[in-house]
Amino acid sequence: MKSVIIFALSAVFFALPAFVGTLDGYDRAKVADENYTKMHGNQITDAEKEDPELFAVMKKYIYGDLSRQIKLTDTERQLITIVVLTTNQNYKFLKSTVEGSLALNVKPIEIREALYHVAPYIGFPKVFDALDVVNEVFKDKGIKLPLENQGTTTDADRFEKGLEFQVNAYGDRINKMRDSTPDYQKHLQDNLSAFCFGDTYTRGTLNYKMREMLTMAVIGTLGTAEAQYKSHVIGTLDAGATNEEVIGVITTMNPYIGFPRTLNALRIANEVFNERKK
């Protein structure tokens, strides 16, 4: 009887169809080598020399698997990576990512604007520390500093233009939020409108969709502001991104923030997707 049961279970097992995953059907090492070389040439890093096994895992994951899965442009992916590394203060990786971005023809002004954009979310010190790294790369590449100004507001109109941008982008809930704020806290709402949106979102070079992607990536990397993260997933979609592009932002973040924060970001994004279906 036992042999009959084992035979029956074996028959069921072998009758199951083979699972075809998203990782099948390509040469991971070859694709990773090609993408890595395109960005970084033949340089051998200390990490590769001293910890070759982990480096190989990382290389095939980021430059092999993820390169095929992420449905974003090179510029979008690189700028998102740059602000995630800045948020995490991963300056060694930031340097190589900026070098790789320039090799992919991402413009220096786009890199700088991505960093300027995230100052309201992570603070000035982290951004200036990152700019030290980025500007050294620019100097090494013969890029003249400072880069051209991109601001579009003045002290006289930054609040007005910022608030107008907020209301146009996020609707009347901005006015309701301001109206419900106690008088002794209103200055923070004014600062949000003037600095985050007047000084920052209205700047040139990067469009609204790219700026929302960067905001979403930074808040998701912080992992401590679910309400704001959800708001900017909505903002990214409202700016013209598809669900697939939102997932592309989260997937780009993944190797730098780990799976716990990635899966939490994915959960919130799926909440937004489901709500919008209704």
Side-chain angles (χ1 to χ4, degrees):
M1 176 63 73
K2 183 184 290 186
S3 62
V4 172
I5 293 173
I6 292 173
F7 177 78
L9 290 173
S10 299
V12 171
F13 176 78
F14 287 113
L16 292 174
F19 179 75
V20 179
T22 60
L23 304 176
D24 298 332
Y26 83 106
D27 188 332
R28 294 180 74 224
K30 180 181 178 183
V31 171
D33 284 341
E34 289 173 350
N35 287 327
Y36 185 84
T37 301
K38 189 188 304 182
M39 294 177 62
H40 305 293
N42 296 315
Q43 63 173 306
I44 305 296
T45 66
D46 289 342
E48 187 173 4
K49 287 186 290 187
E50 296 166 4
D51 291 281
E53 188 176 13
L54 182 61
F55 187 87
V57 171
M58 179 187 73
K59 182 177 176 181
K60 284 187 279 190
Y61 185 52
I62 295 176
Y63 298 93
D65 297 339
L66 300 191
S67 70
R68 298 174 73 248
Q69 297 164 355
I70 296 169
K71 307 304 181 184
L72 299 175
T73 67
D74 285 343
T75 295
E76 289 167 345
R77 180 177 173 180
Q78 292 304 116
L79 295 183
I80 290 164
T81 302
I82 285 169
V83 299
V84 168
L85 293 172
T86 296
T87 303
N88 283 340
Q89 297 176 283
N90 301 140
Y91 299 128
K92 182 183 293 187
F93 278 84
L94 176 62
K95 180 177 184 293
S96 64
T97 299
V98 172
E99 292 169 342
S101 298
L102 294 173
L104 291 176
N105 297 315
V106 180
K107 298 174 184 176
I109 194 71
E110 292 172 324
I111 295 171
R112 190 202 69 180
E113 280 305 305
L115 291 174
Y116 280 24
H117 179 80
V118 300
Y121 307 101
I122 62 174
F124 290 111
K126 283 185 180 178
V127 173
F128 274 113
D129 285 348
L131 284 169
D132 284 342
V133 175
V134 171
N135 287 337
E136 282 304 312
V137 174
F138 287 173
K139 291 173 187 175
D140 289 343
K141 300 294 184 181
I143 298 166
K144 185 179 179 181
L145 298 176
L147 301 179
E148 58 270 26
N149 292 344
Q150 295 295 304
T152 64
T153 61
T154 66
D155 286 347
D157 64 14
R158 58 193 285 268
F159 171 73
E160 178 185 354
K161 288 186 176 180
L163 181 57
E164 179 183 17
F165 189 100
Q166 271 184 292
V167 173
N168 288 340
Y170 306 109
D172 192 51
R173 62 192 174 98
I174 299 299
N175 290 323
K176 291 178 180 177
M177 178 180 66
R178 291 179 58 82
D179 290 342
S180 64
T181 300
D183 287 344
Y184 72 98
Q185 298 177 19
K186 285 188 183 297
H187 65 283
L188 289 173
Q189 294 297 334
D190 290 349
N191 292 344
L192 176 67
S193 298
F195 170 39
C196 185
F197 293 95
D199 290 341
T200 305
Y201 260 88
T202 63
R203 292 177 62 81
T205 298
L206 302 181
N207 62 27
Y208 177 38
K209 176 182 167 184
M210 185 73 253
R211 290 184 181 277
E212 279 295 314
M213 284 181 168
L214 296 175
T215 303
M216 178 189 145
V218 167
I219 297 176
T221 298
L222 291 170
T224 55
E226 290 195 1
Q228 289 82 3
Y229 176 76
K230 183 174 183 178
S231 176
H232 285 285
V233 171
I234 294 170
T236 301
L237 292 167
D238 286 345
T242 63
N243 289 6
E244 190 174 46
E245 287 174 318
V246 167
I247 297 302
V249 175
I250 295 171
T251 308
T252 301
M253 295 156 55
N254 168 249
Y256 311 105
I257 68 172
F259 272 97
R261 277 184 285 172
T262 297
L263 295 177
N264 195 43
L266 179 62
R267 173 183 60 80
I268 297 169
N270 280 325
E271 288 178 5
V272 174
F273 298 159
N274 291 331
E275 289 169 4
R276 289 170 81 92
K277 282 182 183 178
K278 301 173 184 177

